[in-house]
């Protein structure tokens, strides 16, 4: 056995962590640092500083994504503001190129505007806004969109955001805005009254390290989808070349304002119960529960009373963490009626139909609204799906078709609370649901070659987003299942349409053949009988048409689901057969070539 190698004793220390003791090199043990010393290093960090360092959390990363995200933040704010003020939204966006990867974005709306007092906090302070702590379906909810954009502008260009706000009664003012990230406070400069007749809010931000692209994730596509999901919004985009695209509204109806909802007992946490109790005006825990939670009645309160160890007549402000824990534990064992769903505000079937017809101009369109459902036991949500087939539906495929024609592939449009989701598709429940569908079953043999647009909108007072960037919905089983059911339902509708189209084609071919033969048969009968060929031909013609009409009547009866399934199965088998034949032929040719080569 080999001797273990002896460690050589070093002559002199090689690193500062080593020292010589009694002629031997030893490692110096690092000195322990006290809490007092560490306390000197203790610093605070504002939320603005946090997001300044973590802008990707707000979707502000990537050159194309950042530009689209900033426009998205301004646009959603404009629509939210107009809707809450009962104004039909009119939004104009302009993107100007100022230099390499350097742009100026202007978004102007006709909404209520902001006051001199609120403008600073609204656009220059993170986590400030009018929409949180409310169980109401809205686009924004965190109060980080507009201020996040202000911060991005100042950190990439050093320039303030310019704002004009006006009431439309000759009163308007302008200002320049930055954020002090240390304090998370707005810094307003040059605020002045202006004599312009202006109604609404206009924001102008200069931003760098971004690119304008016409792509599936670019601003134009974002605006197009916003217009589709919001038929009452008129929106235009002027791109860096000066070209203006206007999406006119296809409806004059402002959606009914979504109602504020109370949280459902099955959806609340201990922390929420404690916080809500602190702010409650109720005098007893029992009445606090009844007045603060959806579906909480006397019976449920009685049951909870039996299960908890504290006095339910206690002042809710005195409630402790352990008391709230007991309440939540009790709630888990009680069954409640599902949450109220009247706070949900879907786009509506007619509205979706209007906008998809005017923007996508499909040959066939079907909209399906599912009934509201609940996820995690406490959060109501609803799914709206539309399928558009033919016409301008589908996305031009980069592969391209043969002989110059463009191939169309299936296009999936994802929305949450009517806001288009263009990023993080891979992790989204909508994409996952679409991927689980076997489209072949519905007559779509190849999704890379199908003029099909699938529109999916998920609405909820609390969309389970996967991150603060709000671009993907987490795959709660109930949400996933609802989307799947809606897709399967729409799949059957497309299948019917595709079969109908195929049958029509077949019938036309049949008619052409019959009529062609009618001419020849008429000639032959004429020869044999000596009767006038024109008359015979006319009679045969009438017979053919009558026969086809009868067939048509038969076909107009709506096909049952089983019949649709059968037809599609037939079609799929046919396609499989031709594909196998093609493959067989190819292999044969390959075989012949191989043999030839071997002979050579
Ligand atoms: N175009 C606008 N018109 C009127 N108010 C606006 C507009 N944009 C933003 N606001 C106000 O500024 C607040 C903060 O906006 P934002 O930071 O995007 O957060 P959020 O939209 O999540 O509330 C909004 O809640 C709203 O009160
Ligand atoms: Mg917002």
């Amino acid at each position: 056995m080999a001797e273990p190698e002896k460690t050589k004793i070093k002559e002199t220390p090689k690193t500062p962590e080593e020292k010589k003791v009694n002629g031997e090199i030893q490692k110096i043990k690092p000195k322990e640092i006290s809490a007092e010393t560490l306390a000197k290093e203790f610093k605070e960090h504002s939320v603005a500083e946090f997001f300044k360092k973590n802008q990707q959390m707000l979707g502000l990363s990537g050159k194309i994504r950042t530009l689209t995200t900033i426009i998205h933040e301004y646009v959603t704010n404009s629509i939210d503001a107009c809707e809450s003020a009962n104004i039909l939204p009119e939004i104009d966006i302009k993107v100007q190129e100022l230099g390499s990867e350097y742009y100026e974005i202007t978004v102007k709306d006709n909404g209520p505007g902001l006051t001199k007092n609120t403008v600073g906090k609204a656009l220059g302070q993170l986590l400030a806004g009018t929409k949180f702590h409310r169980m109401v379906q809205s686009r924004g909810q965190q109060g980080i969109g507009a201020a996040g954009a202000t911060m991005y502008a100042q950190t990439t260009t050093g320039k303030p955001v310019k704002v004009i706000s006006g009431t439309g009664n000759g009163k308007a003012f302008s200002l320049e805005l930055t954020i002090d990230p240390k304090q998370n406070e707005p810094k307003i400069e040059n605020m002045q009254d202006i004599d312009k007749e202006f109604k609404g809010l206009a924001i102008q931000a200069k931003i760098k390290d971004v690119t304008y692209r016409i792509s599936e994730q670019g601003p134009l596509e974002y605006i197009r989808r916003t217009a589709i999901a919001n038929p009452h919004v008129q929106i235009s985009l002027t791109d860096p070349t000066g070209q203006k695209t206007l999406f006119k509204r296809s409806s004059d109806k402002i959606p009914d304002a979504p109602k504020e909802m109370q949280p459902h007992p099955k959806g609340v946490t201990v922390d929420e119960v404690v916080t809500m109790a602190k702010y409650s005006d109720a005098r007893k825990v029992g009445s606090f529960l009844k007045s603060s939670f959806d579906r909480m009645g006397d019976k449920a309160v009685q049951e909870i009373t039996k299960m908890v160890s504290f006095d339910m007549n206690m002042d809710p402000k005195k409630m402790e963490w352990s008391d709230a824990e007991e309440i939540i534990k009790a709630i888990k064992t009680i069954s409640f009626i599902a949450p109220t769903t009247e706070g949900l505000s879907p786009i509506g079937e007619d509205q979706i139909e209007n906008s998809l017809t005017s923007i996508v101009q499909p040959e066939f369109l079907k909209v399906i609204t599912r009934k509201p459902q609940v996820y995690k036991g406490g959060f109501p949500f609803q799914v709206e799906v539309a399928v558009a087939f033919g016409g301008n539906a589908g996305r031009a495929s980069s592969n391209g078709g043969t002989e110059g024609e463009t191939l169309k592939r299936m296009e999936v449009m994802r929305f949450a609370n009517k806001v288009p989701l263009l990023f993080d598709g891979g992790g989204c429940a909508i994409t996952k649901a679409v991927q689980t569908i076997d489209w072949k079953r519905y007559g779509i043999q190849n999704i890379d070659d199908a003029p099909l647009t699938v529109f999916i909108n998920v609405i909820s007072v609390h969309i389970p987003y996967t991150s603060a960037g709000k671009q993907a919905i987490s795959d709660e089983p109930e949400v996933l299942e609802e989307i799947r059911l809606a897709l399967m339902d729409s799949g059957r509708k497309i299948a019917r349409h595709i079969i109908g189209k195929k049958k029509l084609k077949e019938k036309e071919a049949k008619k052409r053949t019959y009529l062609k033969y009618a001419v020849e048969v008429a000639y032959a009968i004429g020869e044999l009988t000596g009767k006038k060929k024109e008359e015979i031909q006319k009679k045969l013609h009438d017979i053919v048409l009558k026969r086809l009409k009868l067939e048509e009547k038969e076909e107009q009866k709506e096909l049952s689901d089983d019949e649709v399934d059968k037809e599609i199965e037939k079609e799929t088998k046919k396609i499989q057969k031709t594909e196998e034949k093609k493959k067989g032929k190819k292999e044969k040719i390959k075989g012949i070539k191989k043999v030839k080569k071997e002979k050579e």
Side-chain angles (χ1 to χ4, degrees), residues 50-331:
F50 174 77
F51 279 117
K52 190 174 153 189
K53 291 206 187 85
N54 294 289
Q55 287 176 335
Q56 79 287 351
M57 287 187 181
L58 305 178
L60 300 172
S61 68
K63 296 181 199 306
I64 299 172
R65 180 175 185 154
T66 300
L67 186 64
T68 305
T69 301
I70 289 177
I71 291 177
H72 145 80
E73 292 298 348
Y74 289 149
V75 167
T76 47
N77 281 349
S78 291
I79 306 177
D80 271 345
C82 287
E83 280 180 7
S84 55
N86 289 324
I87 296 167
L88 269 172
E90 249 173 69
I91 303 163
D92 293 305
I93 304 151
K94 199 169 178 181
V95 181
Q96 275 173 292
E97 196 170 355
L98 303 180
S100 162
E101 298 187 348
Y102 182 20
Y103 292 82
E104 181 178 78
I105 295 174
T106 313
V107 178
K108 192 175 86 180
D109 66 48
N110 62 337
L114 283 155
T115 67
K116 284 182 183 171
N117 283 333
T118 54
V119 65
K121 276 190 190 297
L123 311 175
Q125 180 171 329
L126 285 146
L127 299 184
T130 42
K131 302 172 208 166
F132 30 76
H133 304 313
R134 288 170 65 201
M135 285 280 284
V136 65
Q137 181 189 323
S138 71
R139 295 170 179 81
Q141 51 190 203
Q142 301 155 330
I144 46 183
T150 303
M151 196 150 68
Y152 185 86
Q154 91 189 44
T155 52
T156 56
T157 65
K159 298 218 162 38
V161 165
K162 287 185 189 162
V163 185
I164 301 178
S165 176
T167 55
N169 298 322
K171 274 189 189 158
F173 61 91
S174 67
L175 62 125
E176 292 181 355
L177 186 74
T178 47
I179 300 183
D180 171 2
K182 282 227 150 39
Q183 311 299 331
N184 183 26
E185 268 174 11
K187 254 173 50 192
I188 293 177
E189 276 175 283
N190 295 329
M191 185 177 302
Q192 46 191 288
D193 291 325
I194 47 175
D195 293 337
K196 229 161 108 187
E197 185 63 28
F198 178 72
K199 161 90 184 8
L201 194 78
I203 308 182
Q204 194 168 65
K206 290 187 168 69
I207 53 173
K208 268 194 183 166
D209 304 332
V210 296
T211 324
Y212 181 90
R213 278 277 154 73
I214 298 178
S215 72
E216 236 170 287
Q217 300 185 320
L220 186 60
E221 185 56 24
Y222 178 82
I223 306 297
R224 184 173 83 102
R225 294 191 187 187
T226 298
I228 290 175
N230 299 273
H232 64 298
V233 172
Q234 178 144 313
I235 188 162
S236 79
L237 172 75
T238 307
D239 74 10
T241 67
Q243 176 152 347
K244 183 173 172 177
T245 311
L246 170 69
F247 294 95
K248 284 194 183 153
R249 67 171 57 89
S250 56
S251 158
D252 282 333
K253 190 179 170 291
I254 304 172
D256 295 333
K259 290 191 191 80
E260 198 164 336
M261 283 197 259
Q262 287 182 320
H264 188 270
K266 294 281 184 189
V268 287
T269 61
V270 176
D271 180 54
E272 279 160 342
V273 173
V274 173
T275 314
M276 286 167 74
K278 288 240 160 14
Y279 293 101
S280 169
D281 293 330
R283 284 204 239 135
K284 296 173 180 175
V285 174
S287 50
F288 153 68
L289 291 179
K290 252 176 69 181
S291 62
S292 314
F293 296 97
D294 184 24
R295 307 298 198 195
M296 181 74 82
D298 288 324
K299 222 181 119 215
V301 173
Q302 274 164 21
E303 283 189 55
I304 295 172
T305 309
K306 273 188 243 158
M307 281 184 260
V308 297
S309 62
F310 61 90
D311 181 7
M312 287 279 275
N313 289 326
M314 170 176 86
D315 178 355
K317 288 194 177 58
K318 294 199 177 122
M319 192 192 285
E320 300 212 356
W321 184 268
S322 58
D323 303 331
E325 258 177 354
E326 284 186 33
I327 293 177
I328 293 291
K329 211 172 145 195
I331 282 174

Side-chain angles (χ1 to χ4, degrees), residues 274-471:
V274 173
T275 314
M276 286 167 74
K278 288 240 160 14
Y279 293 101
S280 169
D281 293 330
R283 284 204 239 135
K284 296 173 180 175
V285 174
S287 50
F288 153 68
L289 291 179
K290 252 176 69 181
S291 62
S292 314
F293 296 97
D294 184 24
R295 307 298 198 195
M296 181 74 82
D298 288 324
K299 222 181 119 215
V301 173
Q302 274 164 21
E303 283 189 55
I304 295 172
T305 309
K306 273 188 243 158
M307 281 184 260
V308 297
S309 62
F310 61 90
D311 181 7
M312 287 279 275
N313 289 326
M314 170 176 86
D315 178 355
K317 288 194 177 58
K318 294 199 177 122
M319 192 192 285
E320 300 212 356
W321 184 268
S322 58
D323 303 331
E325 258 177 354
E326 284 186 33
I327 293 177
I328 293 291
K329 211 172 145 195
I331 282 174
K332 283 210 175 110
T333 66
I334 303 173
S335 46
F336 287 89
I337 308 175
T340 346
T341 51
E342 55 193 24
L344 295 174
S345 162
I347 305 169
E349 292 189 2
D350 291 350
Q351 304 282 58
I352 297 177
E353 203 171 313
N354 277 349
S355 54
L356 277 172
T357 305
S358 82
I359 296 172
V360 177
Q361 296 158 345
E363 158 198 295
F364 170 80
L365 176 67
K366 187 76 205 171
V367 187
I368 281 158
T369 311
R370 300 276 310 168
K371 281 209 192 82
Q373 298 289 340
V374 178
Y375 76 88
K376 276 199 177 144
F379 302 104
F381 73 98
Q382 193 174 5
V383 173
E384 294 177 288
V385 165
V387 282
F389 189 86
N392 289 333
R395 234 152 226 244
S397 170
S398 48
N399 301 337
T402 45
E403 290 150 28
E405 53 165 341
T406 37
L407 258 185
K408 282 291 194 65
R409 67 186 157 82
M410 175 171 156
E411 174 185 41
V412 178
M413 292 188 186
R414 301 179 289 130
F415 298 85
N417 282 353
K418 309 177 193 176
V419 176
L421 308 178
L422 299 187
F423 304 95
D424 305 339
C428 184
I430 296 180
T431 317
K432 288 181 190 169
V434 171
Q435 283 165 349
T436 63
I437 301 292
D438 180 9
W439 294 97
K440 283 200 175 78
R441 277 205 56 202
Y442 304 112
I444 292 159
Q445 300 298 338
N446 180 4
I447 52 171
D448 290 327
D449 181 12
L452 174 66
T453 293
V454 182
F455 167 106
I456 301 148
N457 180 37
V458 177
I459 58 166
S460 177
V461 289
H462 181 86
I463 300 265
Y465 290 112
T466 57
S467 73
K470 300 202 295 183
Q471 285 295 315

